[in-house]
C-alpha cells in the first residue's frame, strides 16, 4: 500500500484507481487485488451528551480507534489514516457526528476480525444493523430507478443454532443452516421473491444485497452488519451510495427514537425496586418458538451479553415459556427490560436508548430465531416507518 498521502484528494484518487483496476481483474477472471471494503460504525444521537454520562472526547476518532496496536493519523477534519503499528491498513472517514466508516483493502479475514474487535471492546461503537425488512425496502427502491435488466445479487442466511435439542437421546445433534445466493435481473425480482417466500420462510432473512452502480459496471454489496464491498469500477460511486444508505438508516433510527422516547411510560424493575420511563417494541413470531429453542436462546444470550444481541441481564423465570430480563444494552450501557415468551418479545427501551438497538435485535432475531417476524414500534408497524423513510410515503 502506497504511503505518500498528504491530502484527501490523493487518498480518494488512490482508492478510485484501486477500484478501477480491481473491477478489470474481476471482468477478466484474473483477480489479484482484494476487494475494497467499507465498514460503517455508529455511536449515538448527540442529545445523549446532555445527560453528562458521555463526553465528546470519548467519541473522537482518536479515542475510538486508537489502542496498543493501532493509531490514527489525521489528514483533515474528517479523514484519517489507520495504522497497525507503523503499517497503514485503512482510512477512517467521519461521515457525521453519529457515523464513521473504515475503508480498507486488507483481506476480509483480517478486516472482519478487526472491525468486530472494535465494536466488541467499545461501549460507544456499534455496527450498522440492516434487517431483512429494511433490505426489502431497499430492493423495492433500487428496482424503481434502475433498468429492469440490471442485475442484483441477494444472499439469504438463516442459522437455527438455538434449535439443538439437548433432550434428544439419539446422539445426533444437528440444526438448520440456510445460505442461498441468487443473481437476478431487477425486473420481476420482487414478485419472484414473494413467490418463493410462500414456501421457504428463510428467504425473509436477507444477509446481503447488491446495489447496482449508478455510473458504470458492477455494484456494491451491502451486508446486514454494515459491511460494504465495492465490485464496481468507481470508489466515488461506492462512497456516494454508502453515504445514501447511512442517510436513510440515520433518519429511520432517529424516527424510532423519537417515537419510543415520546411515548415512554413508567416501567417498574421488580428485580431491584427501581423504575424508568420506557416505550414498548413488540416482536411477534410467525408461529410460537419451540420451548427448547426459546430456552436455549435465553440461557446462552443474556447471562454473558453474548454477541450479536449484546444485552447483558438477569433472568427472572415465570415458566419454561415466559421470562423477564432486567439488564443493560452493552452499547451505551442503557437499562433495558424484556418480556420474552415463545409467542412474542416485548422490549422496553428507556429514553436515551440508541435506536440502533431495535435494528440490532430485529436483524438478529430474523437471522437466528424466526425470519418471518412482525415488528411494532408502539402500535405502528416497523415497515410503515421504513416506507416513510425509504419509499417517501407519508402515514
Amino acid at each position: 500500500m502506497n504511503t505518500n498521502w498528504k491530502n484527501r484528494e490523493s487518498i480518494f484518487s488512490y482508492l478510485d484507481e484501486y477500484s478501477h483496476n480491481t473491477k478489470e481483474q474481476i471482468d477478466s477472471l484474473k483477480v489479484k487485488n482484494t476487494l475494497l471494503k467499507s465498514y460503517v460504525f455508529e455511536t449515538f444521537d448527540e442529545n445523549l451528551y446532555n445527560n453528562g454520562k458521555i463526553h465528546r472526547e470519548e467519541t473522537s476518532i482518536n479515542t475510538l480507534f486508537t489502542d496498543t496496536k493501532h493509531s490514527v493519523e489525521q489528514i483533515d477534519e474528517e479523514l484519517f489514516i489507520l495504522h497497525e503499528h507503523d503499517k497503514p491498513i485503512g482510512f477512517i472517514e467521519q461521515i457525521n457526528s453519529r457515523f464513521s466508516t473504515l475503508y480498507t483493502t486488507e483481506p476480509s479475514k483480517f478486516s472482519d476480525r478487526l472491525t468486530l474487535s472494535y465494536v466488541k471492546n467499545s461501549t460507544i461503537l456499534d455496527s450498522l444493523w440492516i434487517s431483512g425488512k429494511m433490505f426489502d425496502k431497499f430492493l423495492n427502491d433500487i428496482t424503481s430507478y434502475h433498468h429492469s435488466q440490471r442485475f442484483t445479487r441477494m444472499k439469504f442466511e438463516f442459522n437455527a443454532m438455538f434449535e439443538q435439542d439437548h433432550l434428544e437421546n439419539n446422539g445426533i445433534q444437528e440444526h438448520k443452516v440456510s445460505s442461498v445466493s441468487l443473481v437476478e435481473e431487477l425486473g420481476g425480482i420482487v414478485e419472484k421473491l414473494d413467490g418463493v417466500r410462500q414456501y421457504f420462510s428463510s428467504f425473509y432473512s436477507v444477509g446481503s444485497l447488491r446495489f447496482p452502480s449508478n455510473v458504470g459496471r458492477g455494484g456494491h454489496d451491502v451486508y446486514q452488519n454494515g459491511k460494504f464491498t465495492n465490485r464496481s469500477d468507481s470508489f466515488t460511486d461506492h462512497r456516494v451510495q454508502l453515504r445514501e444508505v447511512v442517510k436513510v438508516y440515520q433518519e429511520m433510527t432517529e424516527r424510532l427514537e423519537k417515537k419510543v422516547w415520546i411515548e415512554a411510560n413508567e416501567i417498574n424493575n421488580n428485580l431491584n425496586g427501581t423504575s424508568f420511563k420506557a416505550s414498548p417494541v413488540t416482536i411477534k413470531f410467525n408461529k410460537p418458538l419451540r420451548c427448547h429453542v426459546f430456552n436455549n436462546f435465553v440461557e446462552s444470550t443474556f447471562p454473558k451479553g453474548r454477541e450479536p444481541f449484546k444485552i447483558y441481564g438477569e433472568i427472572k423465570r415465570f415458566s419454561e415459556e415466559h421470562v423477564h430480563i432486567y439488564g443493560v444494552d452493552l452499547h451505551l450501557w442503557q437499562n433495558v427490560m424484556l418480556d420474552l415468551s415463545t409467542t412474542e418479545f416485548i422490549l422496553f427501551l428507556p429514553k436515551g436508548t440508541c435506536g440502533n438497538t431495535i435494528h440490532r435485535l430485529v436483524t438478529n432475531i430474523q437471522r437466528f430465531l424466526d425470519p418471518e417476524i412482525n415488528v411494532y414500534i408502539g402500535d405502528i408497524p416497523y415497515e410503515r416507518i421504513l416506507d416513510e423513510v425509504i419509499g417517501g410515503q407519508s402515514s
Side-chain angles (χ1 to χ4, degrees), residues 152-175:
T152 187
R153 178 181 184 273
M154 297 186 75
K155 187 172 184 179
F156 306 90
E157 298 177 315
F158 178 68
N159 185 339
M161 66 179 183
F162 299 110
E163 286 190 2
Q164 190 175 71
D165 189 348
H166 298 289
L167 299 178
E168 292 180 355
N169 55 18
N170 59 10
I172 299 174
Q173 294 184 340
E174 295 182 325
H175 68 272

Side-chain angles (χ1 to χ4, degrees), residues 125-150:
L125 290 174
D126 200 359
S127 302
L128 202 77
W129 290 107
I130 304 178
S131 67
K133 292 179 177 294
M134 191 177 294
F135 273 127
D136 283 350
K137 300 303 180 182
F138 279 128
L139 178 63
N140 284 328
D141 193 43
I142 63 177
T143 58
S144 70
Y145 60 84
H146 280 292
H147 193 282
S148 61
Q149 293 183 343
R150 292 295 300 270

Side-chain angles (χ1 to χ4, degrees), residues 69-125:
K69 292 175 61 177
H70 302 99
S71 60
V72 294
E73 173 189 352
Q74 188 162 1
I75 298 299
D76 58 32
E77 289 186 358
E78 298 175 344
L79 190 62
F80 304 76
I81 302 175
L82 178 65
H83 296 269
E84 182 168 286
H85 301 303
D86 293 327
K87 175 189 173 185
I89 58 171
F91 310 96
I92 299 173
E93 184 177 18
Q94 184 85 57
I95 298 175
N96 56 40
S97 61
R98 187 164 188 164
F99 294 91
S100 57
T101 184
L102 167 65
Y103 307 114
T104 181
T105 60
E106 295 293 320
S108 285
K109 185 176 180 180
F110 171 86
S111 57
D112 288 352
R113 186 171 62 247
L114 173 66
T115 52
L116 180 62
S117 70
Y118 274 128
V119 172
K120 189 173 182 178
N121 296 327
S122 172
T123 59
I124 304 295
L125 290 174

Side-chain angles (χ1 to χ4, degrees), residues 150-393:
R150 292 295 300 270
F151 283 90
T152 187
R153 178 181 184 273
M154 297 186 75
K155 187 172 184 179
F156 306 90
E157 298 177 315
F158 178 68
N159 185 339
M161 66 179 183
F162 299 110
E163 286 190 2
Q164 190 175 71
D165 189 348
H166 298 289
L167 299 178
E168 292 180 355
N169 55 18
N170 59 10
I172 299 174
Q173 294 184 340
E174 295 182 325
H175 68 272
K176 175 183 176 182
V177 178
S178 300
S179 181
V180 179
S181 296
L182 297 176
V183 177
E184 290 285 340
E185 291 183 344
L186 289 175
I189 188 173
V190 174
E191 291 77 11
K192 293 176 184 177
L193 189 55
D194 287 342
V196 172
R197 284 172 171 171
Q198 294 180 38
Y199 304 97
F200 301 102
S201 64
S202 297
F203 281 80
Y204 283 98
S205 181
V206 184
S208 65
L209 171 67
R210 181 167 299 168
F211 287 58
S213 171
N214 289 323
V215 297
R217 301 167 294 151
H220 315 279
D221 288 343
V222 182
Y223 293 81
Q224 64 183 190
N225 64 349
K227 176 182 178 179
F228 295 65
T229 57
N230 187 8
R231 291 180 173 272
S232 79
D233 57 3
S234 169
F235 167 71
T236 300
D237 184 61
H238 179 75
R239 178 173 175 266
V240 166
Q241 293 215 36
L242 179 151
R243 292 170 77 95
E244 282 298 314
V245 170
V246 170
K247 180 181 177 181
V248 167
Y249 189 93
Q250 181 171 359
E251 183 176 349
M252 175 66 181
T253 304
E254 290 174 353
R255 288 195 183 206
L256 293 178
E257 289 168 346
K258 182 178 180 181
K259 182 164 181 60
V260 299
W261 292 358
I262 287 176
E263 297 184 2
N265 296 308
E266 196 77 17
I267 302 296
N268 292 319
N269 183 340
N270 294 324
L271 198 67
N272 58 21
T274 62
S275 64
F276 57 88
K277 287 191 173 183
S279 179
V281 175
T282 305
I283 298 173
K284 293 181 178 291
F285 299 115
N286 181 50
K287 59 183 179 180
L289 300 177
R290 286 183 287 175
C291 193
H292 72 272
V293 173
F294 174 73
N295 285 291
N296 285 345
F297 167 74
V298 170
E299 296 295 341
S300 65
T301 299
F302 301 107
K304 294 185 178 180
R306 182 177 177 176
E307 298 278 350
F309 296 93
K310 292 184 64 174
I311 293 178
Y312 169 79
E314 297 187 53
I315 303 167
K316 182 177 181 180
R317 185 173 291 279
F318 296 97
S319 71
E320 287 298 297
E321 300 177 349
H322 186 197
V323 302
H324 278 186
I325 307 295
Y326 301 96
V328 293
D329 185 345
L330 296 182
H331 173 51
L332 305 183
W333 282 86
Q334 294 283 348
N335 287 326
V336 293
M337 191 180 85
L338 297 88
D339 180 18
L340 308 181
S341 73
T342 55
T343 58
E344 66 181 15
F345 288 0
I346 303 176
L347 324 171
F348 295 96
L349 306 176
K351 183 174 182 178
T353 302
C354 181
N356 205 45
T357 298
I358 301 172
H359 297 311
R360 185 191 332 125
L361 291 173
V362 172
T363 299
N364 288 295
I365 287 172
Q366 278 196 285
R367 182 175 183 180
F368 294 107
L369 288 174
D370 181 3
E372 205 172 345
I373 55 176
N374 290 304
V375 182
Y376 299 89
I377 313 301
D379 59 351
I380 302 297
Y382 182 76
E383 287 94 340
R384 186 186 301 179
I385 304 175
L386 281 170
D387 281 334
E388 293 173 7
V389 176
I390 299 178
Q393 301 174 20

